[in-house]
């Protein structure tokens, strides 16, 4: 109703002719009192219906002094003392008038107050009244509040049960609804009016009026009544939120917490203890769902605070249940079920942080350890933090050694050998990878025939290390097992080369060089495979490759068992999305942060049917096999790139020239890297010593080409730690993809070959 949208809280007094303006009590809010100029009767009501209501409150105005009696006394005194020589003594001042009673403007719709409908007959109105009166509030209202509540209900019943008064009231609702329902309620009866409104479902109105009242200094009993009715309004709003489909657990829990806080802080702990106990019980029941709903919020900064609240709630639940997490949670959850559902809404770093922070007296379950191991792998790969891999491997080892009544020891060793093997591959340790998969020993206790078959099928016959098959296995494991478990990696697109040619990763792998085969050599080999994969394994531009589906068996203790690594692919294509960069081998000789990440390239526009000419050591063969025009074009572009690179990483850090020779992803990667180097204050003195164009593959429209070259260059690093480091001379093979645009030829992709 319109009246409910324009609520004013104000003060009303008897006629201004009787009370001076200065004696009027201050208003309850900053809004001026409504309709005070229209109030001229002693009842101070806004309508005739309020007169009936205030009559039930038995309000009486104080009698006014008679001015004529004062004048008559003065005349009598003057006539009886005409012979007096002294002036008469001053008359005593009359006692001040009592301050007017205070009022609050509250809209009271009699139909809503009684819970009645406009079509109810007189008997229906009385039954609605009796239903309300027979069920008074059960939570600690004062006797004064209950009496005023009953008076309001009685006035509403008498108005609507009588045919004539009801007809006039209905006409009033039609003509001026706001004026009809708005009533100036005496101050002492305000809690009863709020109670009636709360029972009528006017929760927003109750909260608006009640919160305004609490800003004042109130008498104790009055304040407790207001606090109690506000708490009930919050409880009602919580109930409404939980009635949604699906339930709004965040909204419902927030409202209950507001109600409980209000009762404890404003009403003292002794106020409505039964209501407080019910709120506590309900909060305990819905808090697990509340926490899950908080964790499911978007990862945007807007919801960061709420999600952090959810993470803290998760810790509180998991660390308190059963002293070790063995007892069921509220809401019908077991600890394991709750953790698994919570993990679906968490990032990899959040799972690791939770695991690390868990008190030692709460032993982790196997599924939890396995999830954290996978989270460490995800963090290591996406964050280029290979130092996490040994920790993941340790967790896989713990799982292998864990006793389980439902699983034989040998089975558990096979279950988690796949994880350990791929951790070894991420560290460039091919021998350990082979051992954990049992590739070289038919009788190995770690050998899973399905895994071995998959690796062999995706490897070339002459590949002694099965590196192509292992790369395919790693890519599949990351895609189907690791990344889907975490919100920050669930739909991520990745390339193995983004990891294996990263300077941080290569530096770490270099630190692990030992007696065995070089991790750096393995990384370089994987990068080379990625660069060759698109051309040598399946046609350029083709998107046809069957997705690998790994079968996952969840056993009774919650661990993930890779029973089979799969179904056979229809073709022998290896979707290894990896690549190198133009000077990636510079990192292998100790340079810091120089090469950018890259990817394997190849476009559908490249025509495989066009001739690719190989350059041999003999000059005559070069002339015969390689088009002079294409070779000259390729050499000019590569030399220009080397010159621009020298300026970008040199003393002047000139990044603007990069656009003259680079475009697309190549431009972005090298611009970011050059900006990072400039920010660190490092300087690279790059000098091209020799350049050989090995081959040029030109598309049929001559707008795209693939260039393979061998580069020999000298690089000297200067930084704050090493004022002079070098020079380092290195030779490496690289492949560039170049494209012709309106502004000329540009390098769009680059890959390291050796």
């Amino acid at each position: 109703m319109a009246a409910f949208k324009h609520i004013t809280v104000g003060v009303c007094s008897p006629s201004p002719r009787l009370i001076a303006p200065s004696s009027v009590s201050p208003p309850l809010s900053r809004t001026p009192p409504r309709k005070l100029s229209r109030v001229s009767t002693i009842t101070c009501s806004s309508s005739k219906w309020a007169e009936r209501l205030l009559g039930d409150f038995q309000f009486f105005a104080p009698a006014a002094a008679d001015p004529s009696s004062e004048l008559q006394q003065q005349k009598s005194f003057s006539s009886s003392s005409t012979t007096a020589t002294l002036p008469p003594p001053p008359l005593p001042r009359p006692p001040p008038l009592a301050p007017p009673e205070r009022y609050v403007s509250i809209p009271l719709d009699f139909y809503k107050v009684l819970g009645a409908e406009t079509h109810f007959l007189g008997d229906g109105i009385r039954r609605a009244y009796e239903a309300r009166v027979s069920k008074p509030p059960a939570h600690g209202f004062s006797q004064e509040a209950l009496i005023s509540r009953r008076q309001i209900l009685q006035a509403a019943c008498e108005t609507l049960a009588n045919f004539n008064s009801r007809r006039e009231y209905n006409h009033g609702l039609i003509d001026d609804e706001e004026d009809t329902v708005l009533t100036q309620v005496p101050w002492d009866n305000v809690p009863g009016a709020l109670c009636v409104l709360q029972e009528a479902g006017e929760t927003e109105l109750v909260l608006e009026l009640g919160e305004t009242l609490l800003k004042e200094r109130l008498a104790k009993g009055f304040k407790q009544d207001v606090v109690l009715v506000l708490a009930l309004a919050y409880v009602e709003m919580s109930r409404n939120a939980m009635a949604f489909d699906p339930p709004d657990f965040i909204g419902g829990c927030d409202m209950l917490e507001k109600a409980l806080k209000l009762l404890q802080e404003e009403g003292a702990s002794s106020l409505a203890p039964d209501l407080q106990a019910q709120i506590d019980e309900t909060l305990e029941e819905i808090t697990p769902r509340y926490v899950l709903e908080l964790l499911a919020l978007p990862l945007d900064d807007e919801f960061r605070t709420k999600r952090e609240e959810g993470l803290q709630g998760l810790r509180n639940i998991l660390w308190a249940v059963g002293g070790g997490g063995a007892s069921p949670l509220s809401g019908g959850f077991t600890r394991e079920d709750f953790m698994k559902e919570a993990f679906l809404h968490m990032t990899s770093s959040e799972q690791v942080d939770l695991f690390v922070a868990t008190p030692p007296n709460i032993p982790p379950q196997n599924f939890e350890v396995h999830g954290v191991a996978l989270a460490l792998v995800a963090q290591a790969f996406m964050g280029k933090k290979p130092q996490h891999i040994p920790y993941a491997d340790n967790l896989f080892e713990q799982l292998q050694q864990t006793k389980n009544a439902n699983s034989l020891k040998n089975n558990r060793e096979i279950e988690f050998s796949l994880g350990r093997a791929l951790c070894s591959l991420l560290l460039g340790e091919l021998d350990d990878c082979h051992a954990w998969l049992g590739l070289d020993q038919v009788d190995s206790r770690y050998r899973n025939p399905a895994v071995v078959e998959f690796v062999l099928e995706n490897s070339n016959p002459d590949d002694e290390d099965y590196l192509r098959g292992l790369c395919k296995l790693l890519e599949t494991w990351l895609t189907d097992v690791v990344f889907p478990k975490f919100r920050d990696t669930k739909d991520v697109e990745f390339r193995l080369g983004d990891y294996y040619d990263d300077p941080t990763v290569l530096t770490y792998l270099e630190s692990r060089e030992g007696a065995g085969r070089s991790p750096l050599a393995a990384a370089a080999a994987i990068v080379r495979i990625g660069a060759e994969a698109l051309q040598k394994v399946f046609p350029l531009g083709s998107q046809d490759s069957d997705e690998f589906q790994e079968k996952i068996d969840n056993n009774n203790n919650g661990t993930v068992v890779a029973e089979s690594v799969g179904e056979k692919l229809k073709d022998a294509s290896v979707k290894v999305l990896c690549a190198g960069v133009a000077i990636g081998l510079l990192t292998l000789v100790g340079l810091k942060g120089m090469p950018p990440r890259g990817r394997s390239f190849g476009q559908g526009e490249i025509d495989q049917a066009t001739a690719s000419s190989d350059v041999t050591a003999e000059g005559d063969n070069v002339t015969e096999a390689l088009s002079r025009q294409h070779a000259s074009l390729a050499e000019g572009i590569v030399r220009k790139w080397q010159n621009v690179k020298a300026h970008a990483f040199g003393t002047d850090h000139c990044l603007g020239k990069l656009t003259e020779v680079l475009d697309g992803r190549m431009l972005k990667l090298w611009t970011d890297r050059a900006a990072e180097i400039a920010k660190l204050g490092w300087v690279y003195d790059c000098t091209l010593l020799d350049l050989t164009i090995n081959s040029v593959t030109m598309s049929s429209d001559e707008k795209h080409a693939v260039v393979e070259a061998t580069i020999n260059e000298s690089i000297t690093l200067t930084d704050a730690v090493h004022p002079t480091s070098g020079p380092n001379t290195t030779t490496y093979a690289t492949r560039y993809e170049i494209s012709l645009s309106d502004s000329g030829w540009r390098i769009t992709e680059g890959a390291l070959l050796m």
Side-chain angles (χ1 to χ4, degrees):
M1 303 175 78
F4 286 74
K5 298 179 181 178
H6 306 283
I7 306 305
T8 60
V9 180
V11 188
C12 182
S13 66
S15 172
R17 294 172 295 178
L18 302 180
I19 300 297
S22 61
S23 64
V24 178
S25 301
L28 292 181
S29 71
R30 296 175 183 172
T31 13
R34 302 189 58 176
K35 302 184 180 296
L36 291 184
S37 60
R38 300 180 58 182
V39 178
S40 59
T41 65
I42 198 67
T43 59
C44 297
S45 65
S46 61
S47 71
K48 64 179 68 179
W49 313 112
E51 293 179 16
R52 178 188 298 275
L53 181 61
L54 296 181
D56 289 328
F57 290 151
Q58 298 182 358
F59 167 75
F60 299 100
D66 187 356
S68 63
S69 62
E70 178 179 347
L71 180 60
Q72 182 63 33
Q73 289 177 6
Q74 292 178 355
K75 290 181 178 180
S76 174
F77 180 83
S78 176
S79 63
S80 63
S81 59
T82 55
T83 61
T85 59
L86 296 176
L91 294 174
R93 297 179 64 86
L97 295 176
E101 188 173 2
R102 193 174 177 182
Y103 298 90
V104 178
S105 300
I106 299 178
L108 295 172
D109 185 319
F110 289 172
Y111 284 104
K112 289 186 177 181
V113 162
L114 294 175
E117 301 291 340
T118 55
H119 63 270
F120 282 11
L121 299 178
D123 289 343
I125 295 295
R126 281 186 284 271
R127 283 195 297 270
Y129 164 75
E130 291 171 357
R132 280 277 200 263
V133 171
S134 63
K135 296 180 180 179
H139 304 289
F141 282 99
S142 67
Q143 193 65 25
E144 292 78 8
L146 295 177
I147 291 174
S148 59
R149 168 185 175 272
R150 186 184 184 97
Q151 289 173 339
I152 296 173
L153 294 175
Q154 185 175 356
C157 179
E158 291 178 359
T159 299
L160 299 181
N162 181 276
F163 175 78
N164 293 327
S165 60
R166 180 178 182 179
R167 181 176 59 184
E168 294 181 17
Y169 184 78
N170 289 340
H171 283 309
L173 292 177
I174 296 173
D175 295 339
D176 190 347
E177 178 182 341
E178 181 178 352
D179 184 66
T180 300
V181 301
L182 192 63
T183 304
Q184 303 296 332
V185 178
W187 179 258
D188 291 340
N189 301 105
V190 168
L194 293 179
C195 183
V196 166
L197 288 174
Q198 191 277 321
E199 292 177 308
E202 298 291 342
T203 53
E204 294 183 1
L205 177 58
V206 169
L207 293 175
E208 180 182 352
L209 294 171
E211 290 172 356
T212 302
L213 289 170
L214 287 182
K215 295 177 182 179
E216 297 196 23
R217 181 174 296 178
L218 305 174
K220 181 179 179 180
F222 189 104
K223 181 178 181 179
Q224 288 193 343
D225 286 333
V226 173
V227 167
L228 185 53
V229 77
L230 282 175
L232 291 173
Y234 282 128
V235 171
E236 183 64 26
M237 293 185 72
S238 172
R239 189 177 293 113
N240 294 338
M242 298 300 295
F244 293 154
D245 186 17
D248 179 9
F249 289 101
I250 293 180
C253 200
D254 286 345
M255 290 299 104
L256 288 179
E257 288 179 345
K258 285 184 177 181
L260 188 60
K261 180 179 180 181
L262 189 65
L263 289 171
Q264 293 175 343
E265 296 183 0
E266 298 288 347
S269 59
S270 60
L271 179 61
D274 292 342
L275 179 59
Q276 293 191 39
Q278 292 175 20
I279 294 175
D280 271 327
E281 182 179 348
T282 305
L283 282 173
E284 183 179 355
E285 183 70 16
I286 69 174
T287 291
R289 289 292 180 187
Y290 170 70
V291 168
L292 293 176
E293 201 166 287
L294 288 175
L295 295 176
L297 291 172
L299 300 178
D300 305 336
D301 290 342
E302 178 184 355
F303 302 98
R304 178 180 300 174
T305 301
K306 278 291 187 182
R307 293 197 73 256
E308 289 176 352
E309 181 183 343
L311 291 171
Q312 184 58 50
L314 176 66
R315 294 185 179 96
N316 294 340
I317 292 174
L318 295 179
W319 297 351
V321 175
S327 301
L329 280 71
S330 300
F333 283 105
T334 64
R335 186 177 188 274
E336 180 175 335
D337 291 340
F338 178 68
M339 286 192 71
K340 286 182 176 179
E341 189 162 347
F343 285 172
L344 295 176
H345 305 304
M346 296 169 64
T347 65
S348 57
S349 60
E350 288 170 349
Q351 291 196 27
V352 173
D353 292 344
L354 175 66
F355 182 79
V356 173
T358 300
N361 65 310
I362 303 178
Q365 296 176 267
N366 287 341
F367 78 90
E368 184 180 355
V369 175
H370 186 263
V372 173
L374 298 180
L376 287 168
V377 171
Q379 282 189 299
F381 188 91
M382 298 305 300
K384 311 303 179 292
K385 298 177 180 178
Q387 62 270 22
H388 290 340
I389 297 298
Y391 294 103
D393 183 68
N394 288 339
L395 294 179
F396 284 125
E397 182 180 10
Q398 291 179 27
L399 291 170
Q400 279 185 319
Q401 297 172 355
T402 301
K403 295 181 179 180
N404 187 346
N406 299 322
S407 177
L408 297 177
K409 180 179 179 181
N410 187 53
N411 291 338
R412 296 192 64 79
E413 288 178 341
I414 294 177
E415 288 170 10
F416 300 106
S417 63
L418 176 62
R420 301 199 67 182
L422 296 179
C423 282
S424 299
L425 183 60
L426 287 169
L427 295 177
E429 297 172 350
L430 290 181
D431 291 339
D432 289 344
C433 180
H434 282 214
W436 287 120
L437 293 179
L439 287 177
D440 302 327
Q441 296 180 353
V442 178
D443 58 347
S444 172
R445 66 176 186 271
Y446 305 117
R447 188 181 179 93
N448 186 326
V451 173
V452 173
E453 180 182 3
F454 178 83
V455 172
L456 294 178
E457 286 185 353
N458 289 279
S459 299
N460 290 343
D462 57 348
D463 186 0
E464 296 181 358
D465 291 330
Y466 312 111
L467 197 53
R468 282 181 171 78
L470 293 175
C471 287
K472 181 60 181 177
L473 181 65
L474 174 59
E475 182 200 32
T476 302
W477 185 63
L478 293 174
T479 301
D480 296 344
V481 178
V482 178
F483 291 156
K485 288 186 173 294
F486 314 105
R487 287 187 67 181
D488 54 331
T489 59
K490 187 174 183 180
D491 300 315
V492 69
E493 296 182 1
F494 69 94
R495 299 174 178 86
L496 294 184
D498 290 344
Y499 173 85
Y500 282 104
D501 69 2
D502 184 84
T504 303
V505 174
L506 293 173
T507 301
Y508 181 83
L509 297 185
E510 184 181 16
S511 69
R512 297 178 64 88
E513 293 279 356
R517 285 195 285 184
S518 168
L520 286 175
I526 293 174
V527 169
R528 185 165 60 251
I529 289 173
E532 298 172 354
L534 290 175
Q535 280 197 343
K536 294 187 176 181
V537 180
F538 55 90
L540 289 171
S542 173
Q543 301 296 326
D544 297 327
S545 61
D546 292 335
E547 294 294 336
F548 168 80
Q549 179 64 45
E550 182 177 1
K551 297 180 180 179
I552 301 298
D553 173 40
N554 296 315
N555 61 12
N556 294 331
N557 67 353
T559 56
V560 180
V561 182
E563 280 189 343
S564 171
V565 283
E567 302 174 356
K568 296 182 179 180
L569 301 181
K570 293 180 180 179
D571 54 29
S573 64
V574 179
K575 190 181 179 184
V576 183
L577 302 178
C578 60
V581 292
I583 60 171
L585 283 180
L586 298 181
T587 303
L588 307 187
V589 295
L591 294 183
K592 302 176 181 178
M594 184 67 178
R597 304 171 196 167
R599 70 170 177 86
S600 59
F601 56 84
Q603 297 183 358
E605 294 89 347
I606 302 294
D607 187 358
Q608 290 296 96
T610 57
S612 176
S613 304
D614 295 331
V615 179
T616 66
E618 299 178 3
D620 292 341
N621 291 337
V622 172
T623 302
E624 296 176 1
L626 183 64
S627 165
R628 292 182 180 274
Q629 180 182 2
H630 294 166
S632 176
L633 171 66
E635 182 175 354
I637 293 173
V638 175
R639 287 188 180 276
K640 183 177 181 180
W641 160 227
Q642 294 296 316
N643 181 56
V644 169
K645 181 183 69 178
H647 284 286
F649 289 87
T651 55
D652 54 354
H653 296 290
C654 183
L655 276 62
K657 290 183 175 294
L658 291 173
T659 57
E660 297 178 2
V661 68
L662 302 181
D663 199 359
R665 187 170 181 272
M666 190 78 165
L667 174 61
K668 182 180 184 307
L669 291 173
W670 281 90
T671 300
D672 293 345
R673 189 57 51 82
E676 180 182 359
I677 295 300
K679 184 177 180 180
L680 293 172
W682 297 349
V683 174
Y684 287 94
D685 182 11
C686 304
T687 303
L688 179 64
L689 302 178
D690 190 24
L691 169 64
T692 302
I693 302 299
N694 299 328
S695 68
V696 179
T697 303
M698 186 68 68
S699 64
S700 58
D701 59 4
E702 296 194 351
K703 291 185 177 180
H704 306 281
V706 175
V707 178
E708 293 188 2
T710 300
I711 296 173
N712 178 253
E713 67 178 333
S714 173
I715 298 180
T716 301
L717 167 65
T718 302
D719 64 16
V721 179
H722 305 92
T724 55
S725 177
N728 291 293
T729 302
T730 184
T731 301
Y732 55 92
T734 185
R735 175 184 293 151
Y736 298 114
E737 180 178 330
I738 61 176
S739 297
L740 179 63
S741 64
D742 294 338
S743 55
W745 287 93
R746 298 289 188 273
I747 300 176
T748 59
E749 294 290 347
L752 184 68
L753 299 183
M754 58 175 288

